[in-house]
């Protein structure tokens, strides 16, 4: 996971590999730390994440809550087919807004 | 698909292909399971059997990983060396997974199917997600104290 600051409290979080029971807690901790550092408008780039499970989804929701509590938001960008499917099956696509590109997600903050 | 509640555990009728993975119920098992799925789909592609569509494969993997993860997390006490076995099977009309563990009985949480959009839950989504992704999710415990799960995605 890499966090790329973009100024004015905005950052891009880039993930590589599966977001699952093994890696979910790392994402949650990373996002909470970023929010604590003043980066409360976050875009999670899912381009290189081939698979997300419910633990990964839980970490994204946890990150969303942390960002909102700080007055910011968390968006996701470039979700793969599997990520889009799991968001739809859980109805969480209504709260975790997905954008086609990272730039689109950033432009909407 | 017309199998009775318990027959599915023992029936191997109509199996066109099978891949099996046995190992410790630990996080590393998930890596091995993804590798097993890759081998299974490669074998399916090379077989004369039906070819599941991409979204059927994705739904099958998604549901299977949820149930396997639940077994790894909850079937055995922490740090105990429990075992998990998974069989992946291709039939004419379905792909299925048979999961076995020797841990404690599965007890379904009372708060099933939470209203996800209202509460923004961070955990407890796994079983409901598996049920939405798959066509059948059956659980049974046998007289020898083994837990069995039968997961089906129809083709």
């Amino acid at each position: 996971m890499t966090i790329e600051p973009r100024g004015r409290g905005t950052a891009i979080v880039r993930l590589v590999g599966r977001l699952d029971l093994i890696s979910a807690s790392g994402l949650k901790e990373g996002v909470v730390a970023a929010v604590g550092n003043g980066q409360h408008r976050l875009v999670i780039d899912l381009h290189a994440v081939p698979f997300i499970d419910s633990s990964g989804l839980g970490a994204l929701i946890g990150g969303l809550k942390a960002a909102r509590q700080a007055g910011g938001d968390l968006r996701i960008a470039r979700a793969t087919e599997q990520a889009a499917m799991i968001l739809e099956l859980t109805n969480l696509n209504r709260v975790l807004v997905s954008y086609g590109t990272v730039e689109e997600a950033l432009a909407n903050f | 698909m017309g199998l009775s509640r318990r027959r599915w555990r023992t029936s191997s009728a109509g199996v066109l292909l099978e891949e099996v993975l046995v190992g410790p119920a630990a996080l590393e098992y998930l890596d091995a399971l993804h590798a097993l799925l890759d081998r299974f789909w490669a074998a399916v592609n090379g077989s004369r059997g039906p070819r599941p569509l991409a979204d059927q494969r994705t739904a099958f993997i998604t549901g299977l990983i949820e149930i396997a993860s639940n077994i790894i997390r909850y079937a055995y006490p922490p740090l105990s060396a429990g075992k998990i076995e998974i069989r992946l099977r291709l039939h004419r009309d379905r792909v299925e997974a048979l999961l076995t563990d020797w841990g404690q009985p599965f007890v379904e949480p009372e708060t099933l199917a939470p209203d996800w959009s209202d509460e923004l839950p961070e955990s407890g989504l796994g079983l409901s997600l598996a049920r939405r992704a798959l066509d059948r999710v059956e659980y049974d415990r046998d007289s020898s104290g083994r837990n069995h799960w039968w997961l089906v995605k129809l083709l």
Side-chain angles (χ1 to χ4, degrees):
Chain A
M1 176 175 65
T2 56
I3 298 181
E4 197 180 304
R6 283 294 181 99
R8 294 184 300 130
T10 304
I12 302 165
V13 180
R14 298 191 196 275
L15 305 176
V16 178
R18 294 193 303 267
L19 179 54
D20 60 6
L21 186 58
I22 299 171
S23 59
S25 58
L27 172 64
K28 173 86 184 290
E29 286 164 18
V31 167
V32 167
V35 170
N37 288 333
Q39 292 158 337
H40 52 261
R41 288 198 292 261
L42 297 166
V43 175
I44 313 286
D45 184 2
L46 295 175
H47 176 64
V49 178
F51 183 85
I52 299 180
D53 74 357
S54 63
S55 303
L57 213 47
L60 290 172
I61 293 294
L64 175 71
K65 284 182 188 169
R68 284 184 176 175
Q69 275 163 14
D73 201 4
L74 178 146
R75 280 103 190 254
I76 56 178
R78 303 203 290 171
T80 62
E81 263 181 52
Q82 192 270 342
M85 193 199 74
I86 191 174
L87 284 165
E88 196 182 319
L89 283 174
T90 54
N91 292 330
L92 287 171
N93 50 359
R94 286 186 274 173
V95 287
L96 271 174
V97 181
S98 182
Y99 292 85
T101 67
V102 170
E103 296 308 320
E104 268 177 62
L106 286 168
N108 276 281
F109 275 132
Chain B
M1 276 300 291
L3 297 176
S4 68
R5 173 117 172 83
R6 294 185 186 250
R7 267 268 292 151
W8 52 263
R9 283 208 258 110
T10 51
S11 174
S12 59
V15 175
L16 302 174
L17 264 177
E18 182 176 77
E19 295 276 349
V20 186
L21 178 66
V22 185
L27 290 177
E28 297 74 35
Y29 188 90
L30 290 175
D31 290 325
L33 180 54
H34 279 281
L36 180 82
L37 282 158
D38 289 343
R39 288 200 300 279
F40 180 64
W41 299 131
V44 166
N45 291 343
S47 78
R48 291 184 174 186
R51 298 278 180 93
L53 302 171
D55 62 340
Q56 292 170 329
R57 295 179 194 220
T58 301
F60 181 68
I61 296 170
T62 299
L64 168 61
I65 294 294
E66 292 302 330
I67 302 299
S69 296
N70 273 354
I71 292 171
I72 289 166
R73 286 179 79 179
Y74 303 120
Y76 298 99
L79 303 177
S80 71
K83 195 169 68 168
I84 176 170
E85 175 191 287
I86 295 183
R87 292 174 182 274
L88 306 180
R89 289 172 167 177
L90 174 70
H91 292 256
R92 285 263 159 239
D93 64 340
R94 67 188 188 270
V95 282
E96 68 181 16
L98 294 152
L99 297 81
T100 304
D101 72 71
W102 288 255
Q104 53 204 1
F106 167 75
V107 179
E108 185 149 351
E110 282 179 22
T111 53
L112 189 72
D115 185 350
W116 287 316
S117 58
D118 276 359
E119 295 264 321
L120 294 183
E122 292 180 51
S123 61
L125 299 169
L127 186 59
S128 299
L129 173 59
R131 288 197 170 126
R132 290 183 179 198
L134 300 169
D135 293 296
R136 280 185 80 164
V137 176
E138 301 277 356
Y139 166 77
D140 188 28
R141 186 170 170 89
D142 70 21
S143 55
S144 308
R146 289 178 300 186
N147 297 310
H148 302 274
W149 290 87
W150 183 40
L151 314 181
V152 172
K153 188 68 191 174
L154 296 175
L155 303 180

